[in-house]
Amino acid sequence: MIAELGRHAAPVLAAWSISGVLIVGLIAQTLVAASRARRALEKVERRG
Amino acid sequence: MSIWEYANPVKFMRTSGAVLPWLVGATAICLPAGLIWGWSVPEDYKQGATVKIMFLHVPSAMMAINIWVMMLVASLIWLIRRHHVSALAARAAAPIGAVMTVVALVTGAVWGQPTWGTWWEWDPRLTSFLILLLFYLGYMALWSAIENPDSAADLTGVMCLVGSVFAFLSRYAAHFWNQGLHQGSTISVAPGDRISSVYSYPLYTCMLGFFLLFVTLLLIRTRTEIRRRRTAALLAREMRA
């Protein structure tokens, strides 16, 4: 599959991999923050 | 039923909770489908395999601008009607917009090198996009720097109004100055297709996938902001008791 990209393999793979890391990182950060906020609220609500 | 009912955090949480599973499903289908379709298109006669970068660059650039416009609308609703959910939605959207702007800038630079022979040029569109990224970073920093949430929402709302100039320029800079390396719009409603359907259909699918991803992440992040605000309010009540 990489061979099909010919002489442009490096820029295409670089663009796709950097974008993939950034977007997956954003999704992961969103889910972790959501989970932490939900747990923190549940903890405070249980106390009250 | 009025749209302003959703400014009520309880109503917003209930409705967004019901909609989210459908949005997650639609995003999980549409985004990978668009990207796989985009990856498998044939080489362009002029650009070769670098045309595959378009399926990331164009949707991310489109979202970078449109997310700022969404933040502008949400900020105006806050400034005029003082609905807290709209201010929190604007705050929640900013990191998504910043990531989209970085993706657009990085893929543009990587695409520019083999196409134009340079990674970067102080071209009107590229420069206004870089300034838009700085506005995103400044917007997020301002939210974090101010303790009082209402004051933070007021000041970031004003900042959003100012930054809209650059969001507008990012979109129309190539038309205004008609100079620089960057081409005009890839997609246009004007007659005469600028792009073959071999590329346009996967591109539209990627654009829809990026839009769905944004709405999904926006709802999750806005719900997180509402929960954080509620936690802070309960903790403050505990401290007073």
Side-chain angles (χ1 to χ4, degrees):
Chain A
M1 196 160 59
I2 292 171
E4 289 168 17
L5 299 173
R7 65 194 174 92
H8 293 128
V12 173
L13 290 174
W16 278 69
S17 50
I18 294 168
S19 304
V21 167
L22 286 168
I23 291 169
V24 169
L26 174 70
I27 294 169
Q29 189 272 333
T30 301
L31 295 178
V32 169
S35 164
R36 278 190 189 149
R38 190 172 52 241
R39 270 185 277 128
L41 179 58
E42 281 169 3
K43 195 175 155 189
V44 175
E45 281 180 337
R46 265 200 307 272
R47 277 209 306 255
Chain B
M1 192 181 75
S2 160
I3 193 172
W4 303 115
E5 281 182 32
Y6 296 97
N8 177 330
V10 176
K11 175 103 180 172
F12 177 85
M13 292 296 276
R14 198 182 314 132
T15 310
S16 60
V19 169
L20 256 175
W22 295 98
L23 270 171
V24 170
T27 308
I29 292 169
C30 196
L31 187 59
L35 291 175
I36 292 166
W37 196 359
W39 180 265
S40 56
V41 295
E43 286 189 10
D44 179 60
Y45 76 99
K46 209 188 270 182
Q47 302 187 48
T50 60
V51 74
K52 294 177 197 293
I53 300 174
M54 176 174 73
F55 303 101
L56 295 164
H57 179 73
V58 174
S60 58
M62 176 194 83
M63 290 316 301
I65 298 167
N66 290 339
I67 289 171
W68 193 275
V69 174
M70 173 260 147
M71 286 163 57
L72 171 67
V73 173
S75 299
L76 285 174
I77 292 172
W78 162 255
L79 291 170
I80 296 166
R81 299 193 64 136
R82 312 304 281 180
H83 288 313
H84 285 91
V85 174
S86 64
L88 294 177
R91 182 182 191 178
I96 312 171
V99 169
M100 291 297 166
T101 312
V102 173
V103 170
L105 284 168
V106 169
T107 53
V110 174
W111 198 3
Q113 214 289 324
T115 311
W116 299 331
T118 179
W119 300 94
W120 180 262
E121 181 71 39
W122 293 102
D123 161 288
R125 182 173 274 190
L126 272 65
T127 309
S128 54
F129 240 91
L130 181 63
I131 298 172
L132 182 64
L133 174 64
L134 297 177
F135 263 95
Y136 269 119
L137 298 177
Y139 180 91
M140 290 187 286
L142 193 56
W143 260 109
S144 305
I146 300 168
E147 207 170 321
N148 182 309
D150 285 1
S151 305
D154 285 340
L155 291 173
T156 52
V158 173
M159 187 178 181
C160 200
L161 283 171
V162 178
S164 301
V165 175
F166 291 96
F168 185 73
L169 282 180
S170 303
R171 175 70 183 81
Y172 294 106
H175 299 284
F176 285 160
W177 285 286
N178 200 25
Q179 62 178 40
L181 288 174
H182 204 288
Q183 64 175 68
S185 303
T186 305
I187 308 285
S188 172
V189 287
D193 272 346
R194 296 172 184 209
I195 178 170
S196 157
S197 59
V198 173
Y199 302 115
S200 65
Y201 292 149
L203 181 59
Y204 295 143
T205 313
C206 284
M207 288 161 84
L208 179 62
F210 270 68
F211 173 73
L212 289 170
L213 175 68
F214 163 64
V215 179
T216 305
L217 292 179
L218 176 69
L219 288 188
I220 296 172
R221 296 184 80 97
T222 307
R223 288 165 64 84
T224 302
E225 293 295 336
I226 290 171
R227 285 191 173 115
R228 281 184 184 150
R229 186 72 70 93
R230 169 106 179 116
T231 306
L234 289 174
L235 285 173
R237 196 190 295 170
E238 266 185 22
M239 295 276 279
R240 281 198 302 271

